[in-house]
Amino acid sequence: MSSRKQLRIGMVGFGSMGKTHAYAIRNLPYYFSSLPFLAEVRAICTTSPERSARFADEYGLGTPVASFDELLSRDDVDIIDICTPNTLHCDMICQALAAGKHVLCEKPLCVTPDEAARIVEAQRQSDRICGMVFNNRFMAPMLRAKQLIDEGRLGRILSFRVTYEHNSSTFPDKAPGWKQTAAAGGGVLFDLGSHVIDLIRHLCGDFESVQGLSQIAFPTHGDWQTDADEAFYITAKLKGGACGTIVANKLATGVNDDLSLAIFGERGSIKYELMEPEWLYFYDNDRPASPIGGERGFTRIECGGRYPAPGGSFPSPKASVGWLRCHIESMVQYLSAVANGTPFSPSLYDGAYVQAVMQAALESDLNGGARREVIAP
């Protein structure tokens, strides 16, 4: 019998993100040696008992359960992993915390400011470990960027720009998915925008105010009337004085999953492209500028798979790194926090903060682009 702490997970929802979480949980031992815990999915709940039974059998996910209440009542489940649409998150988080479960939740946190406030209060009253899945924080270049910024290598942050672009709304004959419907808490601001808003806050600090502008380029998709933003543009000012732009766009013809980030400071700058995930570009303004440019210029840092301990040697740090790898890093850091009884970041509060930024941007858009103060939860 292993002396390592047993972490028993109940999963609710099993679309693409549920599969991603299950993959991360199962494969942690291949990436990390001597983990202080053993994690496994003990039970799964989806939209129907039949689907739950099929996924449990096909993916080896423990016991299929018929309802979320049944999942919460199980003594062999310590953690609830929420991979459902965000319209369901608020009640599920609050019920899970009330049942004494730890909670890991996919982004975005919820739909409305009132829901975010309920969640923050529920977490405040609980001693459980809670986390949000803002997986882009855990790309190796983003971990390195955070180190450089925290070390003061960029100095005072002056400006920034970040875009997250897909092409998924450029096909007017294609039926929309749930993320393209306002009633389902969708729209590109909540879907892609939540990721990049969190990245800017994580790297550069809290927001002071925003201006927002939404766009719908295709009013109809077949017989369906478009009712959620297909692109959203934000100009933002941070409390530290930096200003910049945030773009979430599903109208970007020809792109795939393109996240582009640049942060400019007094002493240096960083640049990053998600579709080139091996590299972080760093400009050191303290290097000599002469003769003939001296030693200045962007340095391409080979971050790749070079994750910090306890990261192992699988796969080789020289191997190309993919989207799944940052989900694995996110999962191991959250589960380690649960095993050690320590707080985890990003927390549900971080999700609520992103929700506040998005709400301010939405209100700005509805009021002709008037600047709106971001009210922290």
Side-chain angles (χ1 to χ4, degrees), residues 66-234:
S67 69
F68 186 61
D69 287 341
E70 182 181 344
L71 187 67
L72 294 181
S73 70
R74 294 183 66 93
D75 293 333
D76 62 345
V77 168
D78 311 301
I79 300 167
I80 299 297
D81 187 351
I82 300 174
C83 300
T84 63
N86 51 305
T87 51
L88 304 176
H89 288 179
C90 182
D91 286 343
M92 285 183 168
I93 290 170
C94 293
Q95 290 171 28
L97 291 175
K101 310 296 186 183
H102 304 287
V103 173
L104 181 64
C105 184
E106 262 296 334
K107 65 83 201 169
L109 179 63
C110 53
V111 179
T112 69
D114 287 345
E115 288 181 339
R118 281 183 57 199
I119 292 168
V120 168
E121 180 62 18
Q123 181 178 3
R124 188 187 68 80
Q125 294 184 9
S126 171
D127 64 352
R128 301 294 84 184
I129 307 301
C130 301
M132 288 293 300
V133 182
F134 286 122
N135 57 286
N136 288 294
R137 286 192 186 195
F138 298 96
M139 287 285 185
M142 292 298 93
L143 297 176
R144 182 66 180 127
K146 179 65 171 170
Q147 289 175 344
L148 290 168
I149 291 171
D150 288 350
E151 290 168 2
R153 299 293 299 277
L154 271 63
R156 181 167 63 98
I157 304 300
L158 304 175
S159 64
F160 59 86
R161 56 177 168 79
V162 59
T163 63
Y164 202 172
E165 298 173 324
H166 285 185
N167 68 350
S168 50
S169 290
T170 61
F171 307 99
D173 295 330
K174 178 183 177 182
W178 68 268
K179 290 183 180 181
Q180 281 76 52
T181 60
V188 69
L189 175 62
F190 278 39
D191 185 15
L192 303 185
S194 57
H195 273 300
V196 288
I197 290 169
D198 176 71
L199 266 183
I200 289 299
R201 178 174 177 250
H202 177 58
L203 295 172
C204 301
D206 284 348
F207 285 71
E208 179 179 297
S209 61
V210 294
Q211 291 175 282
L213 174 65
S214 65
Q215 180 185 11
I216 294 176
F218 298 99
T220 59
H221 286 259
D223 296 330
W224 184 82
Q225 186 72 32
T226 303
D227 66 349
D229 48 273
E230 298 173 318
F232 207 101
Y233 311 89
I234 296 173

Side-chain angles (χ1 to χ4, degrees), residues 243-323:
C243 296
T245 58
I246 300 170
V247 175
N249 183 6
K250 290 188 176 181
L251 297 171
T253 302
V255 309
N256 291 291
D257 191 36
D258 289 19
L259 191 162
S260 176
L261 171 75
I263 299 172
F264 306 102
E266 284 184 313
R267 295 185 57 198
S269 306
I270 57 171
K271 295 193 295 185
Y272 173 69
E273 299 283 345
L274 180 60
M275 297 305 282
E276 294 183 3
E278 315 300 320
W279 311 102
L280 177 70
Y281 291 83
F282 171 56
Y283 184 92
D284 188 347
N285 205 38
D286 291 340
R287 305 296 294 177
S290 61
I292 319 174
E295 298 175 8
R296 289 193 184 173
F298 276 95
T299 299
R300 192 170 77 154
I301 302 174
E302 52 181 22
C303 300
R306 293 165 176 80
Y307 281 87
S313 59
F314 176 83
S316 167
K318 296 182 181 298
S320 62
V321 63
W323 175 81

